[in-house]
Amino acid sequence: MLPTRFDFPKNFIFGAATSSYQIEGHQFGGAGSTHWDSFASAPGNTAFGQNGAVACDHYHRWPEDLDWIAAAGFDSYRFSTSWARIMPDGRTLNPEGMDFYDRLVDGMLERGLKPALTLYHWELPSALSDKGGWQNRDTTARFADYTTHVAQKLGDRVWSWAPVNEPWCVAWLSHFLGHHAPGLRDIRAAVRAMHHITLAHGRAVEALRAAGRHTVGAVCNFEYSLPADDTPSAAKAAQLYDAIYNRFFIGGMMKGRYPDLLMPVFEPHMPTNWQDDMSVIQSPLDWFGLNYYTCKRIAADPDSVWPHLKEVNGHLPQTEMGWEICPEGLSHFLIRTAAEYTGDLPLYVTENGMAGPERLIDGICDDPERISYYHQHLDAVRHAIAQDVNVAGYYAWSLMDNYEWAFGYEKRFGLLHVDFDSLQRTPKASYQAWANALGAQTC
Ligand code: FCB
């Protein structure tokens, strides 16, 4: 059993989340090539070389998918528009692509779902990646144009707007650690991408304001950084990890300032006159979103290159991703975000969930681990609310099993099981648990 609606404040929003490239089927509807298509084509980058060409075929099956969300009793659907679907070369409109989202948003409204739209969940059009992608300042201007088009077309119906999903993944994971497209491992590329994606956020906020939108926020990911032991060097290493992962982007957006701890290393790589961008980056927001999954135990590693740290295994139960289940980190970030960055601004948990070991057997998909994970994290949210943090909503990741990026289709985060041969959706036990918690009578 999960806590129910009645265990949360009145008007608290419950939602389910997905992203375009992970579910739509990018080969349909005249979408342009993205850096994820070419990244996935090189050996070793994604499991079995898998990509999002077909994914869950949401492009054709979206009415059924929206029906599932509504039938569970969710209030809102967090989805993303694909830049390369709407503008295949990053600049030129593809009416078929925009029409898809037009129908999708209408479909949400018909079912009483509040559309929560993210403009960039990682599928950069290849034509822009050819010109340096997020290392190139011009990409931020293109992103603002794309934002304006989407805001003009869908603005009258979309409930909330987030420019960029998880800037840490867009910049650090993809340009320093090399795990996501474009797969670079280069400090200069990473630092420039970090600043440019944060600037893209600011420029999109300005574009949304110019288009008259009033529910504009941000979505950053947070990982609870714990010292691996009680040495001062581990404490320092965990602090540095925290600065890169958890403080850089929100620091820029909410305070117009990046962490001092990072600047001696970052400064030589920052674009010229970057300070002049901070007022745009700090454009006021109406809400702030936190994606949270796990904690990391960090130790110093003086023999490695900067940031001279390493991850050490922890003792908590782990998900199929090898991520420790650490709900206390979610309370920690909600409380800290309000105390240090956002004050009374409404906070949303915009993603939270787990990949589990469940299998579909005789039409039944039992996933008690996922129900327990949600339970523990919903309790963590309640804990923050009890400390007077203004948490206004929670989105489960994910509505359905999907393309989990570098892990391909192996890791299943869904409330709906997807058979990737037949593409049939089957509700898992966790879907039913949500339906019970939200007061819906299904199945
Ligand atoms: C987040 C991403 C989302 C999904 C989950 C598991 O970092 O936003 O697309 O991959 O992790």
Side-chain angles (χ1 to χ4, degrees):
M1 289 267 287
L2 296 177
T4 77
R5 240 183 220 296
F6 303 105
D7 297 312
F8 287 82
K10 205 167 155 247
N11 301 327
F12 192 88
I13 298 290
F14 290 96
T18 65
S19 90
S20 44
Y21 192 80
Q22 291 179 275
I23 64 167
E24 286 175 359
H26 198 71
Q27 73 182 28
F28 308 120
S33 157
T34 83
H35 67 173
W36 264 97
D37 302 310
S38 49
F39 178 73
S41 304
N45 280 345
T46 68
F48 310 108
Q50 287 168 338
N51 61 29
V54 176
C56 307
D57 188 25
H58 174 75
Y59 186 78
H60 297 107
R61 296 166 195 250
W62 63 267
E64 175 189 347
D65 295 336
L66 296 186
D67 285 346
W68 283 113
I69 304 171
F74 285 113
D75 309 304
S76 177
Y77 175 38
R78 177 170 178 251
F79 69 110
S80 70
T81 46
S82 163
W83 190 351
R85 177 177 298 293
I86 291 177
M87 295 175 153
D89 62 359
R91 297 164 187 269
T92 318
L93 268 181
N94 164 32
E96 196 180 344
M98 191 66 102
D99 287 351
F100 169 68
Y101 295 111
D102 201 42
R103 292 194 300 276
L104 187 67
V105 167
D106 280 346
M108 290 178 220
L109 297 180
E110 280 159 20
R111 291 164 180 80
L113 296 167
K114 297 180 190 307
L117 188 154
T118 301
L119 285 148
Y120 186 71
H121 203 127
W122 308 352
E123 60 290 271
L124 188 71
S126 296
L128 299 182
S129 128
D130 293 345
K131 295 193 156 59
W134 293 113
Q135 293 179 75
N136 181 351
R137 184 184 178 85
D138 185 58
T139 304
T140 68
R142 302 281 70 77
F143 185 61
D145 282 352
Y146 153 65
T147 300
T148 300
H149 280 292
V150 179
Q152 282 169 350
K153 180 77 176 181
L154 306 178
D156 54 334
R157 287 158 291 153
V158 164
W159 176 68
S160 84
W161 298 83
V164 176
N165 179 69
E166 300 189 348
W168 179 87
C169 289
V170 175
W172 194 257
L173 185 67
S174 311
H175 295 77
F176 189 78
L177 301 176
H179 294 174
H180 277 192
L184 300 181
R185 295 165 65 79
D186 182 310
I187 183 71
R188 188 171 177 82
V191 168
R192 295 169 95 79
M194 281 171 103
H195 179 68
H196 287 144
I197 195 68
T198 320
L199 177 60
H201 157 86
R203 287 194 156 177
V205 173
E206 285 190 335
L208 289 162
R209 296 289 181 216
R213 308 304 9 127
H214 301 298
T215 45
V216 180
V219 172
C220 291
N221 52 326
F222 296 84
E223 208 168 75
Y224 194 21
S225 168
L226 299 166
D229 53 50
D230 49 18
T231 59
S233 65
K236 262 181 95 175
Q239 213 188 353
L240 187 55
Y241 187 89
D242 188 44
I244 298 170
Y245 203 120
N246 302 314
R247 291 193 183 273
F248 183 91
F249 303 99
I250 192 173
M253 292 172 190
M254 299 309 300
K255 298 181 188 232
R257 214 181 147 78
Y258 296 137
D260 293 338
L261 197 56
L262 304 178
M263 293 327 283
V265 173
F266 280 17
E267 178 70 60
H269 303 300
M270 292 291 277
T272 328
N273 297 330
W274 62 272
Q275 290 92 341
D276 298 347
D277 297 329
M278 296 317 283
S279 60
V280 175
I281 288 175
Q282 207 190 346
S283 299
L285 299 178
D286 304 308
W287 57 270
F288 198 90
L290 297 88
N291 292 358
Y292 176 79
Y293 290 92
T294 190
C295 59
K296 282 279 159 61
R297 312 201 180 247
I298 309 297
D301 186 9
D303 296 333
S304 67
V305 294
W306 191 90
H308 310 298
L309 45 83
K310 62 180 176 201
E311 295 172 15
V312 174
N313 281 341
H315 52 273
L316 297 173
Q318 298 183 353
T319 71
E320 289 291 292
M321 300 294 280
W323 296 348
E324 280 185 272
I325 300 177
C326 181
E328 107 190 40
L330 180 55
S331 308
H332 163 82
F333 282 119
L334 290 168
I335 293 167
R336 176 171 108 175
T337 299
E340 297 188 28
Y341 295 99
T342 55
D344 231 11
L345 214 60
L347 299 182
Y348 290 84
V349 177
T350 30
E351 280 181 30
N352 179 234
M354 67 169 276
E358 69 278 356
R359 294 283 170 270
L360 182 66
I361 301 167
D362 296 334
I364 293 182
C365 194
D366 209 11
D367 56 346
E369 302 85 359
R370 182 169 292 103
I371 297 174
S372 162
Y373 182 100
Y374 280 129
H375 194 157
Q376 295 176 59
H377 288 79
L378 288 170
D379 280 349
V381 173
R382 292 172 69 204
H383 177 70
I385 294 172
Q387 313 287 306
D388 287 334
V389 178
N390 182 11
V391 191
Y394 174 99
Y395 289 81
W397 183 274
S398 179
L399 170 65
M400 56 187 158
D401 296 339
N402 58 46
Y403 178 63
E404 181 44 40
W405 306 112
F407 296 91
Y409 295 93
E410 287 273 280
K411 304 294 180 203
R412 294 176 174 271
F413 278 84
L415 302 178
L416 300 175
H417 176 277
V418 177
D419 175 327
F420 288 107
D421 293 323
S422 68
L423 295 170
Q424 189 182 343
R425 282 82 160 129
T426 307
K428 300 180 188 176
S430 56
Y431 175 92
Q432 189 57 51
W434 272 105
N436 295 340
L438 299 176
Q441 299 303 320
T442 62
C443 305

